[in-house]
Structure formats: C-alpha cells, structure tokens
Amino acid sequence: MEQYTIVPIRSLKDTDALIQTLLSDGPPSVNTNQKVAHEIFNLVYAQGCKTVVIENPYVDEDHRRCHAKLHRFAHSAVSRYCKRLHFFAREFANLNELKTISSSDQESYMGMCVWRPTNAYPIGRTIIASKYGIKIPPAGKWIPYLTCAAYYPVNIAGIKFTVYGFPFIQQDHLVTTCATASIWMCQWYMSERYNEIRRYYTPEITDLATAYDLSAGRAIPSEGLTNQQIVMAFRSLGYDPAQHDLVDKTSKQIYRILYNYIESGIPLVASIVTGTSMDHAITVLGHGLEDDCSPTPEAFPNAEKVEWQYIDAADYNTVFIISDDQYGPYRWMKLMDIDKVTGPILSAMFNDASAEAKAKQIIEHLKKERITTLALFGNYNNQELYIAGMSFLVAALPQTVTLGPEDAQDKAIAAFLGSTETKEIPIMVVRTYLIPSNEYKEHIIEVLEKESDLAWWIRSFYYPKWIWVTEFSFDLKATGRKVASSIIIDSSASRDTVDFVLMQKGDWIIPVPHSTNNIVKLIKEIAKEGKELKDATFKPYTQLERELK
C-alpha cells in the first residue's frame, strides 16, 4: 500500500470531489462544517494549485492528544490517524514523478493541511504559504503585510520543505472551541518565531484555561472560553498577555491598538459579538496599508505648542488580516464606527434583503451592549461577508514585556519633544513596534551602511532583551518612509517615568547607560544644544558616558 496518493486539480469540481471523498472515510456527522475545507481548497486553487498529494496515514500530535483526552472513550471508533494534504503549484503526472521531488520544488510547494478523522470539524493543523494564501479582494487597494509569520519545516518522504506563513486550525467542538483554536494559532506561531517559548497542544490549552474557572461550563467537552479564561490560558502558557476591553472604543482607537501589536509581530485573540446569543473568537495576524490614505494630523499629546502635529502610522491602516476557525485562514476585517453605519451602507454591503435585515438586528443588539465598533469580515473574493461587534482583545506578549505600546509611544514622544528646541517641527509620522534587541541590530545592518559609525554605535550598545522602538518620519506616505529619528524604550520600564534607552536624531545619537536614571536632566541638556535634525552631528556614546559620570 502506497502512503502517498496523487490527486490532480484542474477545476473547483475536483476540489469538491476530493472533499467529499475525504469525508466519506470518516464517521457520519450531524453538524459537518465544510465551509473551512472549501475555503482552503478554493483559496489554493485560486492561487494556482495543480496537485494535491495525500499522505495517509499521518500521525498528528495534536489530534493524538485529543484522542487520548476524549475520543478514545467513545463507543464508535475514532481513528488515531489523520491524513495530511500537500498542495503544489505544479503537476505530478503519476506517483513515479512524485518520487523524484527534491528541494528544487520548494517554489511550487504551497503548504499543507492535516485532515482529521472527525468529520464534524475535519481541518487540523494547517499552514498555507503567505504568498499563496493572501489574496486581496478585487476592489481592495491596500498592500497586505503578514507581520505574524514564521518558517515551518515540512517533511515529505525525507525531502524537507519550508512554509512561511501563519498556522491555522479548526475547532473540533469537543476538546477545542473557537477561543482555544485562536490561542493555539497564536502560541504555535510564537513558539516557532521565538524558539525559547514552549509549544502547547489544544487539550493542554483547554485544561490550563479552565483550571480555576468553570463559569463557562464543563472543561471537556468544552462549551467555549470566557474572556478571562483566554487571559488565564495565555498566562499559564508563559506569556504576559495584554488585555483591552473595547466597549465604548471608537474604530480609530481599536485600529491603533491592533496596529501596534500586529506591526510588532504579536498576534491577538479578538472576542467578537456575532448575534444576540453568540460570541466568537478570531485571530488577528496581519494588516493592510493604503498609500492613497490621507490621515488628518493631530497635535502631539501634552505638547507645549499646538502647531506641532503628527500622524499615527496606524491611521494608514485600512484592514486587518485575520483567521477565523469557522470560515478559514487569511481573511480580512475592516472596522467602522457603529453610529456611522447607515441604511445605504448596509445595502451596499449585502445584496440580499434578508441578510441586510439580519445585520440591522445585530447592530441594534450591539448598541444595547454598548459596543461602538463594528467589524466587517470577508475573504479574497468578497464572499462570506458578515458583521460583528468588537468586544475584547488579548495580545500574546512574551514574559517580561510589561509596558504597553501606547505607554511606550507616549514616553518616546515626551523624550522627543523634550529634546527639541526647534521652533517649527514639520508634520511627522510616528510608528511604534516591539522587537527583540538582537533583531533590531540586524535590522540596522540592513538599513544603514554596515561600516558606518552610526550603525556601529546603535548595534554595539547594551539593550534589554525586548525593546519598544518609536520612529519619527517626515515623509507622509503609508509605505517606504525614511526614519529621521528613533527612540528605544525598555519594554519592562515603568509607564510613569520619562526615560529611554537610546535616542537617534539624524546622525546624532544619545544613548543612556543602564546605570543612569536622571533622564529628565539629560533631555534638558540635550535640548540646550539646540540641534536641528538636518544639522545633527554624530556624537559617540562613549564620550557621553564619560560626561554623565
């Protein structure tokens, strides 16, 4: 018996037939959710999939643990084994041709999908390469950025392939619900992206989330997780999660919250209200910027001069890339203030009168719940559109990152303005993101001349492990901006202090030794210099250290 089977894909009828064949091997189910399977197959077909290679049997560790936790007790036998589907953008005429695959076929490898022997929710661990998975809708003008992505190794008969993307899994409605699936996606990515973070499986996540709180019902079979159980799960998994209650928040505020985490490569679990009695959880993993955007400048917070204005980089954001275990991976989400959603806007969203009426009903319910921001969801061809209210966010911050992005940006702005004596500052774009300091040093090598003094001093300075970086740019574009100034903040710093680790203004650099704590005095001394950004001159940090002593 061959372990691999070749299935040619020439039309969507072939993908539909393959799904039905896969379902016929599993137990009959009352509530089979085939939407996700069709979404994945349709997506890879639209991106050029020509062959599906079925690996059978396949041992999936997550399913095996679910089997040990619950499925093995069922009278009706549930197999311990899965199938694994490999998608290729090239044709294999027969099995003999498959036997000749090598690493040279990497470019045609689109990703893989584990097919579980539980027909109700069959899609297990799935990773579709971002270049094959992200396809913007026909009318979309935004540029997609999958900032939460990692490289995943896949072995096919001893040949190693690599998939760059974000992991996806569907709930099984027993051990795993939508929230558990979202947590799994976040931590599976984080563990691959940052090797020191341990990887957990879905039964472990459910157990940790419900260890001290069963307010949502039994642990297993799971009835779903509350917002606080989601937070508890992340804490138990070894993270310092940041939580945001979105009640009474405007769409602009939520865009900014989401953007700073997503730009940092930190995924989020978002709780959304989809109806009068149903809440749901999705995963936010990327964003889309639109070059044609013209955000309105606003005054710097706490600035002495109101004419000093800036644009938050988040305001160029048009949509977010999300994964929804009920609908599929790499979908899009757009936010809008619920009070601005009028009848004509709803009519433009939904061509069907009954769908429009249902949407109006949902909006009325959301207003009663004090939810002020509406999310519109869709896929690459604007199908499966639906709306929901934004309720709660949890960001999977690593341990020791205790300072949030808003506080880090406020500290950076205070330091920047405090060191500025210039009467006029042009309108700037301000962007804040979290990054491991070693990766930031690698980034500096890429954007500055490796042998330059400026690059050397930034790279050689002593940093904490995780840093918040706030960049100030004069070029008012959504993409391709050049940084005029950047300020680095300790990710574990207090939100009540005015401090920074290093400030770069032009080719002038102001590092602060970790033994120095009087940053306010330092900022005032810097301001006395009266340096213009364009006239800035490089100052070695070793000299500054001697002066501070």
Side-chain angles (χ1 to χ4, degrees):
M1 174 182 172
E2 291 284 359
Q3 187 179 354
Y4 294 92
T5 305
I6 305 294
V7 179
I9 302 297
R10 299 184 179 89
S11 69
L12 286 178
K13 290 183 179 179
D14 293 332
T15 65
D16 293 342
L18 177 55
I19 290 173
Q20 296 309 312
T21 299
L22 292 167
L23 289 171
S24 66
D25 288 342
S29 177
V30 176
N31 297 312
T32 299
N33 181 352
Q34 297 182 24
K35 286 182 182 178
V36 177
H38 283 284
E39 179 79 358
I40 292 172
F41 279 59
N42 292 353
L43 177 59
V44 294
Y45 174 75
Q47 296 284 55
C49 178
K50 293 188 171 58
T51 306
V52 177
V53 176
I54 303 176
E55 182 181 354
N56 180 31
Y58 176 74
V59 177
D60 180 71
E61 188 62 32
D62 196 85
H63 173 69
R64 178 160 285 195
R65 293 183 183 230
C66 290
H67 188 278
K69 189 76 176 179
L70 183 67
H71 299 311
R72 68 187 178 93
F73 297 113
H75 178 70
S76 177
V78 176
S79 176
R80 294 184 302 157
Y81 297 100
C82 301
K83 297 180 179 68
R84 186 162 66 158
L85 315 178
H86 301 278
F87 305 104
F88 283 90
R90 60 157 288 189
E91 294 182 10
F92 291 102
N94 50 50
L95 189 59
N96 288 329
E97 192 172 336
L98 175 63
K99 292 176 182 178
T100 65
I101 65 167
S102 66
S103 55
S104 62
D105 291 296
Q106 173 66 58
E107 282 301 309
S108 69
Y109 188 63
M110 305 177 72
M112 67 88 183
C113 170
V114 172
W115 189 278
R116 299 182 299 216
T118 51
N119 277 5
Y121 301 86
I123 302 299
R125 181 170 53 96
T126 299
I127 306 169
I128 306 298
S130 59
K131 66 178 180 179
Y132 291 116
I134 299 176
K135 189 173 186 291
I136 67 172
K141 296 181 180 179
W142 40 275
I143 303 170
Y145 291 91
L146 186 64
T147 54
C148 300
Y151 290 95
Y152 295 86
V154 179
N155 190 293
I156 305 177
I159 305 299
K160 183 179 178 180
F161 291 89
T162 302
V163 184
Y164 183 74
F166 189 85
F168 175 83
I169 198 170
Q170 185 181 25
Q171 65 171 295
D172 67 4
H173 205 60
L174 293 170
V175 180
T176 311
T177 59
C178 58
T180 313
S182 291
I183 296 169
W184 179 92
M185 294 183 217
C186 290
Q187 62 90 34
W188 198 267
Y189 151 75
M190 292 289 286
S191 67
E192 194 68 36
R193 178 75 171 75
Y194 307 107
N195 291 329
E196 73 239 31
I197 299 177
R198 187 198 149 184
R199 180 178 297 172
Y200 289 82
Y201 297 93
T202 52
E204 296 175 291
I205 295 171
T206 301
D207 284 342
L208 291 170
T210 57
Y212 306 104
D213 181 3
L214 289 174
S215 58
R218 298 177 65 186
I220 295 177
S222 178
E223 298 296 328
L225 302 180
T226 65
N227 291 334
Q228 290 310 308
Q229 285 175 327
I230 295 173
V231 175
M232 178 57 68
F234 275 119
R235 288 189 60 84
S236 301
L237 294 174
Y239 297 84
D240 275 331
Q243 52 183 309
H244 298 269
D245 190 341
L246 304 183
V247 172
D248 293 331
K249 288 281 194 303
T250 65
S251 60
K252 185 175 184 178
Q253 290 172 318
I254 297 176
Y255 265 120
R256 290 186 176 184
I257 293 171
L258 284 168
Y259 177 82
N260 286 331
Y261 290 113
I262 293 303
E263 190 70 348
S264 305
I266 302 295
L268 300 97
V269 174
S271 293
I272 58 175
V273 180
T274 58
T276 56
S277 61
M278 275 182 21
D279 288 345
H280 186 45
I282 59 172
T283 313
V284 190
L285 46 125
H287 62 75
L289 297 181
E290 188 171 326
D291 273 323
D292 293 338
C293 272
S294 299
T296 303
E298 56 189 79
F300 275 111
N302 303 316
E304 295 180 3
K305 300 179 180 180
V306 294
E307 62 269 22
W308 289 356
Q309 294 183 317
Y310 80 109
I311 296 173
D312 195 301
D315 296 346
Y316 291 99
N317 202 65
T318 304
V319 300
F320 288 100
I321 302 169
I322 64 114
S323 282
D324 184 338
D325 90 287
Q326 294 279 44
Y327 288 90
Y330 300 144
R331 300 172 64 82
W332 59 263
M333 173 181 76
K334 187 173 184 177
L335 306 180
M336 58 192 78
D337 292 332
I338 201 167
D339 289 338
K340 296 179 181 178
V341 181
T342 61
I345 291 177
L346 280 176
S347 298
M349 290 180 190
F350 303 97
N351 295 325
D352 182 66
S354 61
E356 182 181 343
K358 183 180 178 181
K360 289 179 180 179
Q361 197 174 30
I362 292 173
I363 289 174
E364 289 305 312
H365 169 72
L366 296 177
K367 288 180 178 179
K368 293 177 183 177
E369 297 292 321
R370 293 175 49 221
I371 292 176
T372 50
T373 295
L374 191 71
L376 174 67
F377 298 90
N379 67 358
Y380 62 94
N381 58 1
N382 279 340
Q383 291 179 343
E384 300 284 10
L385 293 176
Y386 70 96
I387 62 172
M390 297 295 291
S391 172
F392 195 76
L393 289 174
V394 183
L397 287 173
Q399 277 191 341
T400 74
V401 179
T402 55
L403 187 69
E406 305 98 324
D407 294 322
Q409 181 162 300
D410 287 347
K411 287 162 74 75
I413 288 174
F416 180 85
L417 296 180
S419 65
T420 300
E421 285 289 304
T422 313
K423 293 182 180 179
E424 294 184 4
I425 298 180
I427 297 173
M428 287 183 294
V429 177
V430 180
R431 167 179 175 249
T432 298
Y433 58 92
L434 181 74
I435 189 172
S437 55
N438 283 340
E439 287 190 18
Y440 184 68
K441 294 174 185 178
E442 294 173 6
H443 165 70
I444 292 300
I445 293 177
E446 294 176 1
V447 298
L448 297 175
E449 293 182 14
K450 189 183 298 186
E451 286 77 21
S452 72
D453 288 339
L454 180 62
W456 168 250
W457 291 121
I458 295 177
R459 288 162 45 209
S460 63
F461 192 66
Y462 174 76
Y463 299 99
K465 183 176 181 179
W466 289 89
I467 55 176
W468 285 105
V469 180
T470 298
E471 297 175 343
F472 298 82
S473 309
F474 294 149
D475 192 358
L476 304 184
K477 293 181 181 178
T479 59
R481 294 186 300 266
K482 293 184 179 180
V483 177
S485 178
S486 56
I487 297 179
I488 296 174
I489 303 289
D490 178 9
S491 66
S492 301
S494 168
R495 62 184 179 184
D496 299 320
T497 58
V498 179
D499 55 14
F500 58 89
V501 174
L502 180 144
M503 178 189 295
Q504 169 261 323
K505 300 182 78 172
D507 58 356
W508 190 40
I509 189 168
I510 308 106
V512 180
H514 63 89
S515 58
T516 303
N517 54 29
N518 195 348
I519 307 299
V520 175
K521 179 182 177 182
L522 173 62
I523 292 175
K524 290 180 179 178
E525 289 177 353
I526 294 168
K528 289 178 183 177
E529 297 276 347
K531 296 277 186 181
E532 298 273 0
L533 275 176
K534 61 183 179 180
D535 298 326
T537 55
F538 172 73
K539 190 173 185 180
Y541 87 95
T542 50
Q543 179 185 345
L544 188 61
E545 274 188 329
R546 287 196 296 272
E547 291 177 357
L548 289 173
K549 289 178 180 177

